[in-house]
Amino acid sequence: MPPCDFVPEKYESYPYEHVLKIRRQCVSPSLIPYYKKPLLLHQGHMQWLFDHEGRRYLDLFAGISTVGVGHCHPKVTAAAQKQLGRLWHTASVYMHPAIQEYTEKLTSLLPDPLKVIYLTNSGSEANDLAMVMARLYTRNFDIVCFRGGYHGGSPYTLGLTSIGNYKQVLPSGSGCQTTMLPDVFNGPWGGSQCRDSPVQTIRKCSCSPGSCHAKDRYIEQFKDTLATCVPKKIAGFIAEPIQGVNGAVQYPRGFLKEAFELVRERGGVCIADEVQTGFGRTGRHFWGFEGHGVVPDIVTVAKAIGNGFPMAAVITKAEIASSLPQGLPFNTFGGNPVACVVGSAVLDAIEEDGLQKNCEAVGTHLLLELAKLRDEFEIIGDVRGKGLMIGIQMVKDKESRQPLPAEEISEIFEDCKDMGLLFGKGGLHFQTFRIKPPLCITKEDADFAVEVFRTALTRHKEERRLQSSIPSIVNCTSCY
């Protein structure tokens, strides 16, 4: 494990078993922790987490793609502490300098005409509001979204979220229409030149330079949805520039640009859900939509905007923002002084620490090293992503591309944790390992992660070999 000179404080709270008991009695059972023996985390420092026993872990999940600049980043922590001593909260019916300073700084990082911000507390809230804005502005109702997308867990946004594990047996999201996901690894079409990524799929294609057969076929499916499933006029279309919860799924180059044009022809607005891709995570671009060569009409952001502090935002054009009635919707905590100061400090840290550049360099290095593991191990079907938004899809074998069984996924997951490496799981069958660390990780950290993963895969391969040999030994008559 790479060295770290940070020494965590001594843990002095409840014993582990007592914490586990309280968790089972008092915390909603719908909140399921990772791992057979859940981690009890005590402290964080940049890319590192420490448990109650002082054990150190390299965090490659960052609180679900949330801790962008590092756990307890000193600049962000100091800004929050200073503001807490000055003014914690006041509602939007009063002015305070922090909100003006922050919104000016944030809008300077977005292209024209995206210059008006409404601050909220979570990604679900932001996407809720984006849906309302799209419908009020266009005076249309239907919104198109991708299958496999995740846009929140509120009753409104659950209509957009199209992953079965997050659905509930309740009415939600009327007027939300899903369309085929242009997934070049799992979908019916895809090849070796489709993605804007240092790593392509193992699928072959015969596309000539400048053309993409898969993109054209997926666009035909998108047109079919518009022609058969929604009215002639729609409110909008929402997409993550790279799907997050579904396992860093990327679309063919050029797809989103053509899709945006088709949506605008029907009077709809285009919404980029940057909750996971924003704030430099894709490396080359500060915003994920920039990698597609598009400018959305509405952008929603959350997670890394506050480095773990609960805040989010909707950013849009002045004319769309004006569609909201004056005074509505009202948000008690959105844009509070502490949130705005934290958000501003996060932007400063990204620039001053060179985190976007680091993200591209380390992310590209990590992707290429993981691609070597894909070539080495049959159960790695795909490695994909940009910057430090990476997915590793596990399969039974490369030919079938069927998901690796859940129990085998869990074995690898647990083994990596025991060796000090944390990452997430995603995909329709939780078959994809999600890597979305703080942007401050180093190449040395990346190399450690690859070696841990290789060790876990090698152990898994040996375990499978031993299990497959047991029947032949038992049934061999010469052994008796």
Side-chain angles (χ1 to χ4, degrees):
M1 181 177 287
C4 173
D5 58 8
F6 178 81
V7 179
E9 300 170 2
K10 183 180 179 181
Y11 177 77
E12 295 180 342
S13 188
Y14 293 142
Y16 181 88
E17 293 302 325
H18 189 53
V19 170
L20 202 59
K21 180 181 178 182
I22 295 172
R23 171 95 183 192
R24 290 167 177 164
Q25 290 178 346
C26 303
V27 177
S28 171
S30 67
L31 303 175
I32 303 172
Y34 275 163
Y35 308 115
K36 295 175 183 176
K37 182 180 179 181
L39 284 177
L40 175 54
L41 296 175
H42 166 51
Q43 198 163 0
H45 175 73
M46 302 308 283
Q47 65 267 49
W48 303 105
L49 287 170
F50 300 84
D51 69 13
H52 67 295
E53 296 177 324
R55 186 176 180 188
R56 179 161 56 105
Y57 301 87
L58 178 61
D59 182 12
L60 293 191
F61 203 29
I64 313 182
S65 191
T66 298
V67 181
V69 301
H71 292 283
C72 302
H73 189 287
K75 185 179 185 69
V76 180
T77 301
Q81 290 172 336
K82 184 177 180 180
Q83 186 60 43
L84 284 168
R86 179 185 295 138
L87 179 64
W88 283 35
H89 176 73
T90 182
S92 58
V93 293
Y94 306 109
M95 290 199 299
H96 60 85
I99 190 170
Q100 277 69 234
E101 293 167 3
Y102 177 59
T103 53
E104 182 181 44
K105 185 181 291 188
L106 183 57
T107 53
S108 72
L109 297 170
L110 286 134
D112 287 329
L114 298 169
K115 298 298 178 183
V116 181
I117 295 179
Y118 191 106
L119 291 165
T120 67
N121 307 295
S122 71
S124 292
E125 280 188 2
N127 283 328
D128 264 343
L129 182 56
M131 294 172 74
V132 171
M133 285 182 171
R135 286 167 169 165
L136 287 174
Y137 176 70
T138 63
R139 298 185 181 275
N140 299 320
F141 189 64
D142 289 77
I143 299 176
V144 178
C145 53
F146 284 137
R147 292 166 200 150
Y150 184 90
H151 301 286
S154 66
Y156 217 37
T157 57
L158 273 176
L160 302 175
T161 291
S162 300
I163 300 176
N165 291 310
Y166 297 96
K167 291 289 193 180
Q168 299 183 38
V169 190
L170 294 169
S172 63
S174 175
C176 299
Q177 177 61 54
T178 64
T179 189
M180 178 183 281
L181 171 63
D183 182 343
V184 298
F185 178 72
N186 297 292
W189 307 290
S192 58
Q193 304 175 55
C194 297
R195 293 194 297 227
D196 177 20
S197 171
V199 179
Q200 298 295 329
T201 73
I202 57 174
R203 300 175 73 175
K204 304 300 180 184
C205 69
S206 56
C207 298
S208 58
S211 68
C212 180
H213 172 74
K215 185 263 293 181
D216 294 340
R217 297 298 295 269
Y218 286 120
I219 282 292
E220 289 304 313
Q221 290 295 313
F222 192 78
K223 289 179 178 177
D224 184 68
T225 297
L226 295 177
T228 61
C229 301
V230 293
K232 292 183 179 180
K233 293 293 183 180
I234 62 174
F237 166 58
I238 186 169
E240 303 160 88
I242 299 174
Q243 285 192 336
V245 174
N246 200 24
V249 174
Q250 294 179 272
Y251 324 128
R253 289 187 183 95
F255 177 91
L256 216 54
K257 192 169 187 177
E258 286 193 37
F260 274 26
E261 292 171 359
L262 292 168
V263 168
R264 285 168 175 154
E265 286 174 5
R266 287 179 170 260
V269 299
C270 298
I271 306 167
D273 181 339
E274 293 274 357
V275 169
Q276 295 199 36
T277 50
F279 299 93
R281 178 155 294 280
T282 61
R284 194 183 320 154
H285 301 104
F286 198 83
W287 305 110
F289 66 76
E290 293 175 299
H292 295 275
V294 299
V295 177
D297 303 296
I298 302 174
V299 177
T300 57
V301 295
K303 291 188 179 286
I305 187 177
N307 202 50
F309 193 92
M311 61 183 299
V314 180
I315 310 156
T316 188
K317 307 174 181 180
E319 57 267 32
I320 295 177
S322 298
S323 64
L324 292 174
Q326 284 195 344
L328 295 173
F330 182 78
N331 193 304
T332 300
F333 299 107
N336 70 75
V338 180
C340 291
V341 165
V342 166
S344 185
V346 167
L347 295 179
D348 291 342
I350 293 171
E351 181 178 4
E352 293 168 10
D353 295 357
L355 294 183
Q356 186 180 342
K357 185 177 180 180
N358 184 70
C359 178
E360 181 174 17
V362 177
T364 299
H365 173 75
L366 181 54
L367 276 162
L368 293 174
E369 291 300 310
L370 290 170
K372 294 176 184 177
L373 293 186
R374 178 199 62 189
D375 298 339
E376 182 180 346
F377 292 93
E378 180 66 16
I379 60 171
I380 300 181
D382 195 28
V383 171
R384 52 183 177 257
K386 288 175 63 178
L388 287 169
M389 187 163 186
I390 298 171
I392 307 170
Q393 185 166 331
M394 309 302 292
V395 296
K396 289 181 179 178
D397 58 80
K398 287 182 170 66
E399 183 175 355
S400 72
R401 287 177 282 156
Q402 291 298 306
L404 190 69
E407 60 273 16
E408 296 184 49
I409 292 277
S410 294
E411 289 170 6
I412 297 167
F413 195 60
E414 294 276 350
D415 201 12
C416 286
K417 182 264 294 181
D418 291 341
M419 289 185 279
L421 185 66
L422 307 179
F423 46 80
K425 290 187 286 187
L428 298 182
H429 307 285
F430 298 108
Q431 79 278 33
T432 302
F433 293 132
R434 298 167 63 194
I435 295 178
K436 298 166 184 183
L439 306 188
C440 57
I441 70 163
T442 65
K443 285 187 178 180
E444 189 178 10
D445 299 331
D447 290 339
F448 167 73
V450 171
E451 285 310 307
V452 167
F453 197 43
R454 175 182 279 110
T455 300
L457 291 169
T458 301
R459 290 174 180 172
H460 173 267
K461 184 177 181 180
E462 179 63 15
E463 181 67 23
R464 287 180 76 177
R465 186 189 68 78
L466 291 173
Q467 289 179 354
S468 64
S469 68
I470 291 173
S472 62
I473 293 173
V474 172
N475 295 324
C476 179
T477 56
S478 62
C479 295
Y480 294 94

